Amino acid sequence: MKLCYNQATTLENSNLVKDLELCEKYGYDYIEIRTEDKLPEYLETHTLVDLKNYFETHHIKPLALNALIYFNNRDEQGHQVIVAVFKDMLEKGKVIGVEYIVAVPYFTQEKILKEDIKKSAVEVLTELSDLAEPYGIKIALEFCGHPQCTINTFGQAYDIVETVNRENVGLVLDAFHFHAMGSHKEDLLNADVSKIFILHMDDVEDFPVGFLTDEDRVWPGKGVIDLDFILSTLKEKGYSGVASVELFRPEYYQLDAEEVIKTAKETTVDVVSKYFEFE
């Protein structure tokens, strides 16, 4: 197992330069780079070639650009924006050598039938798959466990990925999102693990299904998610991807970034190492 760091964990108390230095110091293998804020901030004073050179001369490597947001069920103008943003992410990802672009579904208060959500998601992901293929970059669909998210359970997301049926389209399995909308364990037990590209590690306080928000996340092993089930199932099925710690805890943003990155590694390794050996 390889260990990855998602920049959301120090969203308000660090930047890409500091995250890279601290992740290198504490032995992380990969980083997920936030494209909404952290990468643009970095590019104000650095270039993509600077970032490429950093990765080439250090242990840590870029896992993913996170994220292409609200990709499905858009009007034509919104869809064209999504395609343009994705093309730009492909070009940036090619320079620095990322393996994945994470795609986040549309959030809305509008009620949209599941068949219409699936139709849109399949069409868009197929189009993006064609665009991504020459770059050798894969698309990781991240369902989000919120009532307002159009794709909010593992089973729903897995069905979409299966229908797309492309080698470069798979899933992010985020433990929080799996728990937050009550994804069915049977869906994971029946899944082809090769479709799961990234595992997001986190935990959460004990609020009812449907009421949880990202801010309720806590250190892995310090909450109520059945991480033993998720990890043991992935182990039995031969999961060979990474474990990427992703927290959005406001009180963690008040801590020193080094303390957060150090604790995030320790708690993640403590939980994951029951089932996987870290290389």
Side-chain angles (χ1 to χ4, degrees):
M1 176 72 80
K2 298 283 190 178
L3 182 64
C4 180
Y5 183 78
N6 185 295
Q7 285 196 282
T9 310
T10 43
L11 182 60
E12 296 180 8
N13 54 344
S14 190
N15 55 46
L16 182 53
V17 171
K18 184 185 290 187
D19 283 346
L20 286 170
E21 291 174 351
L22 291 171
C23 287
E24 181 76 8
K25 176 179 178 179
Y26 286 99
Y28 285 83
D29 302 297
Y30 291 102
I31 188 168
E32 289 187 75
I33 300 170
R34 284 181 58 90
T35 53
E36 290 181 77
D37 35 49
K38 299 304 183 182
L39 183 58
E41 178 188 43
Y42 175 89
L43 293 176
E44 291 176 3
T45 53
H46 299 77
T47 68
L48 287 174
V49 174
D50 292 332
L51 190 54
K52 173 179 179 285
N53 290 338
Y54 185 91
F55 288 126
E56 288 180 346
T57 55
H58 292 78
H59 173 76
I60 193 166
K61 297 295 182 279
L63 181 73
L65 294 179
N66 195 326
L68 178 71
I69 60 170
Y70 311 152
F71 72 89
N72 58 301
N73 294 96
R74 308 297 296 271
D75 61 21
E76 182 57 30
Q77 181 179 359
H79 175 68
Q80 293 306 319
V81 170
I82 288 296
V83 171
V85 170
F86 186 71
K87 288 179 177 178
D88 181 66
M89 294 175 78
L90 287 171
E91 292 294 336
K92 288 183 169 68
K94 180 180 179 181
V95 173
I96 63 177
V98 302
E99 297 181 40
Y100 304 103
I101 291 174
V102 175
V104 172
Y106 189 48
F107 279 65
T108 180
Q109 296 289 341
E110 177 189 357
K111 290 183 177 180
I112 304 175
L113 290 171
K114 287 179 69 176
E115 64 183 273
D116 294 329
I117 294 169
K118 179 178 178 178
K119 181 176 184 294
S120 173
V122 169
E123 289 177 353
V124 177
L125 288 172
T126 300
E127 180 181 2
L128 299 182
S129 169
D130 289 337
L131 293 171
E133 186 173 6
Y135 292 84
I137 295 174
K138 297 182 178 182
I139 303 161
L141 165 61
E142 181 170 12
F143 67 96
C144 296
H146 302 285
Q148 292 76 31
C149 185
T150 51
I151 306 172
N152 59 19
T153 65
F154 178 86
Q156 184 189 10
Y158 186 83
D159 177 52
I160 289 167
V161 167
E162 268 203 318
T163 303
V164 173
N165 194 28
R166 296 286 184 88
E167 289 188 3
N168 66 346
V169 178
L171 292 173
V172 177
L173 170 54
D174 184 303
F176 167 81
H177 292 314
F178 191 91
H179 174 86
M181 283 296 290
S183 286
H184 298 302
K185 291 183 176 181
E186 293 78 9
D187 290 333
L188 181 56
L189 289 169
N190 294 326
D192 176 357
V193 77
S194 70
K195 299 290 189 183
I196 301 173
F197 290 165
I198 302 171
L199 170 65
H200 277 174
M201 287 297 302
D202 37 50
D203 217 323
V204 74
E205 294 182 276
D206 196 9
F207 295 115
V209 167
F211 282 82
L212 294 155
T213 65
D214 284 314
E215 290 75 18
D216 300 320
R217 299 184 189 213
V218 294
W219 308 114
K222 307 302 180 183
V224 298
I225 297 176
D226 192 352
L227 296 175
D228 288 318
F229 165 75
I230 294 173
L231 291 166
S232 62
T233 301
L234 292 178
K235 174 65 174 178
E236 183 177 341
K237 287 178 166 289
Y239 177 73
S240 58
V242 304
S244 182
V245 58
E246 182 189 44
L247 309 172
F248 288 86
R249 186 80 175 178
E251 65 192 69
Y252 297 169
Y253 296 151
Q254 304 306 311
L255 304 174
D256 182 78
E258 181 164 8
E259 181 180 352
V260 173
I261 288 174
K262 179 175 182 289
T263 305
K265 178 183 179 180
E266 290 172 347
T267 54
T268 301
V269 170
D270 281 349
V271 173
V272 177
S273 61
K274 297 175 186 177
Y275 302 94
F276 293 88
E277 293 184 6
F278 283 95
E279 301 176 14

